[in-house]
Amino acid sequence: MGKIFEYFGFIFYFFSNEHEPIHVHVKKGGEECIFDLIIENGQLIGVERREKTGADPMNSKDESVAVDFIRVYWKEIVEKWVSFFVYRQEVSNTKINKKI
């Protein structure tokens, strides 16, 4: 598991053997979801939630916070995805302590 961001109790991470589309796993407490980043022509046009098998889904408030975070930090998520999956480099975990 490659943890990429921590944000007020949310953990954003990749699994080491992933697939496209670019997506990020998000966990808060015992709840977890997967969010696909929908990118066209170099722009984020959407974020789509998928439930993770075997995990309790996030409540709507936490899901909304996670989506807002992804919309703000999507370029960094993509950069870390490319570094991790294309270049096979380790990515650092970034702690965000400023509310978005």
Side-chain angles (χ1 to χ4, degrees):
M1 175 175 90
K3 185 169 30 170
I4 60 170
F5 286 105
E6 292 179 63
Y7 177 73
F8 295 96
F10 291 85
I11 305 295
F12 295 76
Y13 66 96
F14 303 138
F15 275 117
S16 60
N17 192 15
E18 289 283 37
H19 53 82
E20 289 190 34
I22 294 175
H23 63 279
V24 63
H25 295 253
V26 183
K27 184 174 189 174
K28 184 174 183 204
E31 300 176 343
E32 187 170 358
C33 287
I34 302 167
F35 295 91
D36 294 333
L37 284 69
I38 311 304
I39 301 169
E40 287 185 11
N41 298 319
Q43 295 298 315
L44 181 72
I45 63 164
V47 178
E48 295 181 357
R49 181 184 69 90
R50 287 188 278 140
E51 291 185 19
K52 182 177 178 192
T53 304
D56 292 330
M58 286 186 170
N59 64 54
S60 60
K61 179 182 175 194
D62 286 345
E63 180 182 332
S64 178
V65 171
V67 169
D68 288 345
F69 182 92
I70 292 166
R71 288 187 183 282
V72 170
Y73 289 95
W74 74 272
K75 288 182 180 177
E76 289 90 342
I77 293 169
V78 171
E79 287 172 4
K80 289 182 184 221
W81 176 278
V82 170
S83 292
F84 193 71
F85 293 107
V86 176
Y87 297 121
R88 302 289 182 205
Q89 298 172 338
E90 286 191 35
V91 294
S92 62
N93 175 42
T94 306
K95 292 184 181 181
I96 305 293
N97 297 316
K98 179 180 161 189
K99 293 272 186 180
I100 53 172

